[in-house]
C-alpha cells in the first residue's frame, strides 16, 4: 500500500486538491459512471430474481418441488403443475435444434470455408437480417402458411413414411409441437450460422495449410481438421440457439395449440412456459393462479440461466484454446 | 418478464396521470364492452369536460385493480363473487351497462349457415363425448341436413377471458357433467381441444380448419360476418343470436333480478331468449369521498342509462331492457 501511494504524487496532496486533480483527469469520473452502469445490470438481475421469488411465494408454499412434476393445470380448483409446460418447452426446443443445427452448421461451413467473399458477405447479411426479424412476424407467417401446409402436406407425408413411430401418430390439425419446432428452427438457425461461422473463421490458417500439405482434399481438411478445431464454438452457438428457443413466446403461442397436457405425438397440441405466461397472466385472478404463473417464470429463468451459463463457459474455453495455439 | 416491465410502465403512466389532472377518473376492466365504453367516455368528456380513462385490460384485471384501489371504478363481464366483494375496502355496486353474448361458430364442410345445436350437445362436444359431426345427437337437432362424418376439432380460448366465463357458466347450467368435471370460470381446465388467443385467434383457427367448432363474442362475429349456430333455449326454441334475442334474454330475467344486479342470465326463460348471454357490469364503489368525483361518476351513470343506451346498437351492442334501466336508476342513489 505504502509503496504504491508514494509512487503516485496525487495521493500525498491535501484532500480537496487531490479530489479536484483527480476529477480533472476524467478517469475517475468515467470509472465511477461506467461502474454504475455495470452495477445496474447486476441490480436489475437481482431485482428480477427477488421479484420472481417473492411473487411465487404462495405457489411455492402450496406445491413445493411437486410443481415441477405435476401434470394438473386447473385454474378453477387452483391446482397447478409445470410438467406439461416444461415438456412442451423442452420438446419444441430440442426438435427445433435437431432441424436447425445441421442446416445452420452446413451453412456456416459453406460461408466460412467454401463460398467466395461476395457470396459469403451477401448471405451473412441476410442471416443477420433474419436474426433481427421480430418473432411475432414468424408467428403470423406460420399461422398463414405453415399451419395449412402442416395439415395438408407435411403431416400426412410424415405419417405415411414414419407413421409407425409413436411421435408421428394421431390426427394432424396443423398446430402442435412439430409446427412450433419448425418455427423455432427457422428462428434459431441464424444464431447457429453467425456464431459457428465466427468460430470456423477463427481457426488458424496454418491448420488448413498443414492438412492440405499432407495431401488432404479441401473437404477433408474442413471436416476433419477445421470443424473439430472449432467444435466448442459451434457447441456454444447451439446452446445460445437453445436458450433462445426456450424463451420464445409469441411465435410459439400462435402455433403450439395452447393445450396444457403432455402428448407423445409431435402432431398433437401442447403448451410452453413462455406461451402460458403471456396468454394467461393478464386475466389470472385469485391468490394462487398468478403466483403459479410467476413460479413458472422462475423455472424458465433458471432453465435459461443454466443453458446460458454452460454456453458462456464453452465459448470462453474455445477462445482461450484458440489464443494458445 | 416482459409482462412485469409492461406492468411497471403502465403503473408509472397511471401515477403520472393521477398527479397531473384532478378531474381525471380512471377505470379499467373488461375488454368486450371497451369499444362502447370508450365512445361513451369520449362523448361524456365533450359534454362535461370530465375525462374518464378506460384501460381494457380484462375482467379479472378490472376486479384486481378495483380491489387494490388503483382505479376509481372497475368493469367486468362476470359479476364479482362474495369473497371478491369482501376483499374490497369499499363495497362495490354492480351496474349493468349493455348485454353481451357468446356465439358458436363452426366450419363444417357443406354447411354454410343455420346449424342448430342444443346446450347439452354443445357441452358434450366440449367434453369430448361427441367427436363426429354426424353424431346422432347433432343430427337430431338438424333434421334434413346432411352432416359429414368429419372429426370435430374443439377450439377454445387459451387466454383467460370473460367470454370463456360466460360460456362456461352456460355449459355448467345445461350440463351437470360439465359442472362437476370442469366448472365455470374465466380460465378453466378444458378437457379437449386447442387453445387460441383472443376472439381473433379462435375465429382464425376455426376458419382455417375443416371440422372445427369455436366460440366468440357476438360483436366480433357480427363484425366479421361469421357463420353462427342457432342455440336451443330453455323453452326448447332454437334462437339466433341477435340484439333482440339478447335484450329479450335480459327482459325475461327481470322478475328474478336481485337487488345487487349480480345475476347470470345464461339459459334463462322466454321463447325469444338467446341462452348464452350475459350482462356486462361497471363496478362502482358505494362510497366516493371526493365530492367532485362522486358527482362526475353518478352523472355519467345517469347519462349512460338514458342517452348512452341509444348508441348501443350502432356499435353492435344490445341495449338494456327498460325494466333493468329503471331499477338501476334507483341504485345510483346508493352511492354515498
Amino acid at each position: 500500500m505504502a509503496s504504491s501511494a508514494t509512487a503516485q504524487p496525487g495521493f500525498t496532496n491535501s484532500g480537496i486538491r487531490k479530489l479536484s486533480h483527480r476529477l480533472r483527469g476524467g478517469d475517475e469520473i468515467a470509472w465511477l459512471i461506467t461502474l454504475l452502469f455495470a452495477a445496474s445490470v447486476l441490480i436489475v438481475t437481482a431485482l428480477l430474481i427477488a421479484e420472481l421469488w417473492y411473487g411465487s411465494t404462495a405457489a411455492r408454499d402450496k406445491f413445493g418441488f411437486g410443481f415441477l412434476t405435476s401434470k394438473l393445470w386447473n385454474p378453477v380448483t387452483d391446482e397447478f403443475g409445470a410438467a406439461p409446460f416444461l415438456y412442451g418447452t423442452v420438446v419444441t426446443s430440442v426438435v427445433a435444434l435437431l432441424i436447425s443445427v445441421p442446416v445452420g452448421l452446413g451453412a456456416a461451413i459453406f460461408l466460412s470455408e467454401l463460398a467466395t467473399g461476395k457470396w459469403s458477405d451477401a448471405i451473412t447479411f441476410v442471416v443477420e437480417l433474419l436474426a433481427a426479424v421480430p418473432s411475432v412476424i414468424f408467428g403470423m407467417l406460420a399461422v398463414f402458411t405453415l399451419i395449412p401446409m402442416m395439415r395438408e402436406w407435411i403431416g400426412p407425408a410424415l405419417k405415411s413414411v414414419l407413421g409407425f413411430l409413436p411421435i408421428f401418430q394421431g390426427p394432424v390439425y396443423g398446430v402442435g409441437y412439430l409446427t412450433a419446432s419448425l418455427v423455432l428452427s427457422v428462428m434459431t438457425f441464424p444464431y447457429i450460422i453467425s456464431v459457428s461461422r465466427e468460430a470456423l473463421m477463427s481457426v488458424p490458417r496454418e491448420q488448413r495449410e498443414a492438412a492440405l500439405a499432407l495431401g488432404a482434399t479441401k473437404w477433408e481438411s474442413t471436416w476433419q481438421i477445421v470443424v473439430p478445431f472449432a467444435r466448442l464454438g459451434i457447441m456454444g452457438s447451439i446452446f445460445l440457439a437453445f436458450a433462445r428457443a426456450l424463451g420464445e413466446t409469441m411465435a410459439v403461442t400462435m402455433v403450439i395449440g395452447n393445450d396444457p397436457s403432455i402428448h407423445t405425438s409431435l402432431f398433437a397440441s401442447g403448451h410452453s412456459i413462455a406461451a402460458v405466461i403471456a396468454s394467461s397472466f393478464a386475466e389470472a385472478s385469485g391468490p394462487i393462479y398468478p403466483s403459479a404463473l410467476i413460479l413458472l417464470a422462475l423455472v424458465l429463468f433458471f432453465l435459461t440461466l443454466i443453458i446460458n451459463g454452460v454456453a458462456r463457459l464453452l465459448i470462453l474455453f474455445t477462445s482461450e484454446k484458440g489464443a494458445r495455439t | 418478464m416482459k409482462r412485469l416491465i409492461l406492468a411497471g410502465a403502465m403503473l408509472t403512466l397511471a401515477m403520472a396521470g393521477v398527479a397531473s389532472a384532478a378531474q381525471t377518473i380512471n377505470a379499467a376492466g373488461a375488454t368486450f364492452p371497451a369499444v362502447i365504453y370508450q365512445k361513451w367516455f369520449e362523448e361524456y368528456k365533450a359534454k362535461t369536460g370530465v375525462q374518464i380513462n378506460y384501460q381494457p385490460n380484462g375482467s379479472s384485471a378490472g376486479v384486481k385493480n378495483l380491489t387494490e384501489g388503483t382505479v376509481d371504478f372497475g368493469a367486468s363481464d362476470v359479476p364479482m363473487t362474495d369473497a371478491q366483494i369482501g376483499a374490497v375496502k369499499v363495497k362495490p355496486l354492480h351496474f349493468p351497462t349493455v348485454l353481451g353474448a357468446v356465439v358458436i361458430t363452426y366450419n363444417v364442410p357443406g354447411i354454410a349457415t343455420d346449424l342448430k345445436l342444443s346446450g347439452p350437445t354443445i357441452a358434450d362436444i366440449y367434453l369430448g363425448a361427441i367427436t363426429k359431426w354426424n353424431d346422432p345427437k347433432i343430427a337430431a337437432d338438424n333434421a334434413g341436413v346432411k352432416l359429414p362424418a368429419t372429426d370435430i376439432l374443439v377450439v377454445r380460448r387459451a387466454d383467460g377471458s370473460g367470454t370463456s366465463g360466460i360460456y362456461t357458466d352456460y355449459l355448467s347450467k345445461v350440463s351437470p357433467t360439465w359442472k362437476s368435471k370442469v366448472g365455470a370460470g374465466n380460465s378453466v381446465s378444458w378437457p379437449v381441444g386447442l387453445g387460441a388467443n383472443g376472439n381473433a385467434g379462435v375465429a382464425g383457427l376455426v376458419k382455417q380448419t375443416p371440422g372445427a367448432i369455436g366460440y366468440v363474442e357476438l360483436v366480433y362475429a357480427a363484425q366479421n360476418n361469421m357463420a353462427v349456430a342457432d342455440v336451443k333455449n330453455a323453452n326448447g326454441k332454437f334462437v339466433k343470436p341477435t340484439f333482440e334475442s339478447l335484450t329479450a334474454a335480459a327482459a325475461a330475467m327481470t322478475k328474478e333480478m336481485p337487488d345487487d344486479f349480480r345475476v347470470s342470465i345464461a339459459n334463462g326463460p322466454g321463447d325469444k331468449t338467446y341462452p348464452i348471454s350475459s350482462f356486462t357490469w361497471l363496478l362502482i364503489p358505494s362510497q366516493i369521498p371526493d365530492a367532485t368525483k362522486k358527482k362526475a361518476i353518478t352523472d355519467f351513470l345517469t347519462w349512460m342509462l338514458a342517452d348512452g343506451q341509444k348508441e348501443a346498437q350502432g356499435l353492435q351492442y344490445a341495449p338494456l331492457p327498460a325494466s333493468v334501466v329503471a331499477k338501476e336508476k334507483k341504485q345510483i342513489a346508493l352511492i354515498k
Side-chain angles (χ1 to χ4, degrees):
Chain A
M1 275 307 285
S3 65
S4 75
T6 45
Q8 291 177 13
F11 274 65
T12 58
N13 290 343
S14 75
I16 295 166
R17 275 193 61 189
K18 186 172 74 180
L19 187 68
S20 66
H21 181 78
R22 289 172 67 184
L23 288 182
R24 209 174 298 140
D27 279 2
E28 309 293 327
I29 297 176
W31 183 80
L32 257 176
I33 291 176
T34 48
L35 172 76
L36 211 66
F37 289 161
S40 69
V41 176
L42 293 178
I43 293 167
V44 167
T45 312
L47 279 175
L48 201 65
I49 295 173
E51 178 68 24
L52 292 176
W53 184 259
Y54 289 116
S56 62
T57 310
R60 274 188 294 113
D61 289 351
K62 187 168 177 192
F63 306 113
F65 279 103
F67 184 71
L68 294 174
T69 51
S70 166
K71 283 195 266 184
L72 279 172
W73 189 264
N74 191 338
V76 179
T77 55
D78 268 346
E79 286 167 293
F80 301 102
F85 307 100
L86 262 175
Y87 177 81
T89 305
V90 173
V91 164
T92 50
S93 303
V94 168
V95 174
L97 289 188
L98 288 179
I99 302 164
S100 66
V101 166
V103 177
L105 190 54
I109 290 173
F110 177 77
L111 292 178
S112 74
E113 304 298 314
L114 308 174
T116 54
K118 255 187 202 164
W119 267 101
S120 181
D121 287 350
I123 295 177
T124 308
F125 174 73
V126 177
V127 164
E128 273 155 20
L129 202 70
L130 208 58
V133 173
S135 62
V136 69
I137 292 175
F138 282 109
M140 282 179 71
L141 196 69
V143 166
F144 291 120
T145 61
L146 190 59
I147 290 178
M149 267 168 68
M150 177 63 75
R151 192 175 55 236
E152 309 292 339
W153 304 333
I154 306 175
L158 279 173
K159 247 172 127 170
S160 65
V161 182
L162 297 166
F164 58 91
L165 292 171
I167 54 167
F168 293 120
Q169 286 169 2
V172 186
Y173 293 118
V175 295
Y177 295 118
L178 190 58
T179 315
S181 303
L182 283 174
V183 176
L184 285 177
S185 69
V186 174
M187 294 177 68
T188 50
F189 93 94
Y191 290 78
I192 296 180
I193 295 181
S194 14
V195 180
S196 297
R197 180 173 161 270
E198 292 298 320
L200 289 169
M201 284 172 53
S202 71
V203 174
R205 258 182 86 107
E206 292 84 351
Q207 294 283 336
R208 297 183 180 83
E209 284 166 359
L212 293 173
L214 287 171
T217 63
K218 177 93 180 163
W219 177 248
E220 281 168 345
S221 118
T222 302
W223 190 245
Q224 290 172 15
I225 306 297
V226 178
V227 172
F229 199 94
R231 71 188 180 280
L232 290 173
I234 293 168
M235 279 172 75
S237 81
I238 294 169
F239 278 104
L240 279 182
F242 194 39
R244 170 105 170 93
L246 289 175
E248 180 45 45
T249 309
M250 276 323 291
V252 171
T253 189
M254 290 165 91
V255 300
I256 198 170
N258 303 307
D259 174 18
S261 48
I262 294 176
H263 300 281
T264 328
S265 172
L266 290 179
F267 295 140
S269 54
H271 221 325
S272 84
I273 298 179
V276 72
I277 295 171
S279 60
S280 337
F281 195 71
E283 281 278 336
S285 60
I288 304 291
Y289 194 10
S291 177
L293 287 168
I294 295 171
L295 186 53
L296 270 182
L298 193 68
V299 170
L300 182 62
F301 185 82
F302 279 115
L303 197 64
T304 23
L305 204 67
I306 293 165
I307 303 287
N308 257 321
V310 172
R312 283 277 138 211
L313 284 176
L314 278 175
I315 286 169
L316 203 71
F317 190 41
T318 7
S319 55
E320 268 176 7
K321 204 179 169 189
R324 238 184 280 129
T325 30
Chain B
M1 283 181 288
K2 275 181 194 161
R3 290 267 154 177
L4 286 178
I5 294 164
L6 195 68
M10 288 193 307
L11 194 70
T12 324
L13 277 177
M15 275 155 62
V18 170
S20 65
Q23 266 298 47
T24 300
I25 291 167
N26 292 300
T31 46
F32 150 69
V35 174
I36 192 162
Y37 285 1
Q38 266 147 2
K39 179 104 193 294
W40 278 347
F41 295 151
E42 207 175 283
E43 282 182 22
Y44 192 65
K45 192 193 172 193
K47 274 172 82 86
T48 63
V50 178
Q51 170 132 20
I52 305 177
N53 295 321
Y54 186 68
Q55 198 183 44
N57 51 4
S59 296
S60 310
V63 172
K64 203 158 133 190
N65 292 353
L66 183 72
T67 312
E68 288 162 353
T70 51
V71 290
D72 294 305
F73 63 88
S76 173
D77 290 342
V78 185
M80 290 171 76
T81 59
D82 289 339
Q84 282 175 330
I85 289 180
V88 190
K89 262 190 227 146
V90 181
K91 184 176 170 261
L93 298 170
H94 286 64
F95 284 90
T97 52
V98 286
L99 287 147
V102 174
V103 302
I104 311 286
T105 177
Y106 54 88
N107 179 353
V108 188
I111 300 174
T113 48
D114 296 334
L115 185 76
K116 293 185 173 66
L117 293 169
S118 65
T121 309
I122 301 172
D124 278 352
I125 292 173
Y126 271 80
L127 281 166
I130 294 178
T131 56
K132 297 260 184 207
W133 277 108
N134 62 353
D135 189 279
K137 280 187 186 162
I138 302 177
D141 289 332
N142 293 279
V145 179
K146 203 173 173 297
L147 291 158
T150 319
D151 283 333
I152 299 178
L153 173 68
V154 169
V155 183
R156 34 82 181 174
R157 290 284 286 268
D159 47 335
S161 160
T163 310
S164 298
I166 295 167
Y167 188 62
T168 50
D169 174 45
Y170 170 73
L171 293 181
S172 297
K173 282 191 173 176
V174 294
S175 162
T177 324
W178 182 275
K179 193 174 182 181
S180 62
K181 263 192 162 170
V182 185
N186 288 1
S187 312
V188 298
S189 173
W190 299 91
V192 290
L194 302 180
N197 287 302
N199 283 303
V202 171
L205 201 55
V206 170
K207 221 178 258 177
Q208 261 194 8
T209 323
I213 185 169
Y215 62 92
V216 294
E217 280 161 1
L218 171 62
V219 180
Y220 187 86
Q223 282 166 351
N224 293 282
N225 278 325
M226 293 165 65
V228 298
D230 299 1
V231 180
K232 197 180 205 172
N233 65 21
N235 285 18
K237 299 270 192 305
F238 286 99
V239 178
K240 273 189 206 313
T242 58
F243 304 127
E244 292 76 29
S245 62
L246 278 183
T247 308
M253 287 298 277
T254 309
K255 267 185 213 155
E256 291 156 55
M257 177 71 82
D259 286 337
D260 62 1
F261 294 96
R262 285 191 295 152
V263 66
S264 152
I265 58 170
N267 204 34
D271 279 356
K272 290 178 181 168
T273 295
Y274 178 74
I276 323 176
S277 43
S278 168
F279 287 116
T280 179
W281 293 265
L282 285 181
L283 312 167
I284 314 272
S286 54
Q287 283 172 16
I288 305 170
D290 184 335
T292 4
K293 260 186 192 171
K294 188 195 145 200
K295 188 174 181 311
I297 291 174
T298 51
D299 282 356
F300 168 76
L301 288 171
T302 315
W303 176 83
M304 179 274 287
L305 289 169
D307 295 350
Q309 288 296 315
K310 290 175 196 149
E311 286 167 28
Q313 282 202 26
L315 293 168
Q316 319 254 25
Y317 293 89
L320 298 169
S323 51
V324 175
V325 170
K327 201 172 154 90
E328 267 188 76
K329 278 183 179 160
K330 288 181 200 149
Q331 193 181 228
I332 297 177
L334 295 181
I335 301 173
K336 295 280 182 293

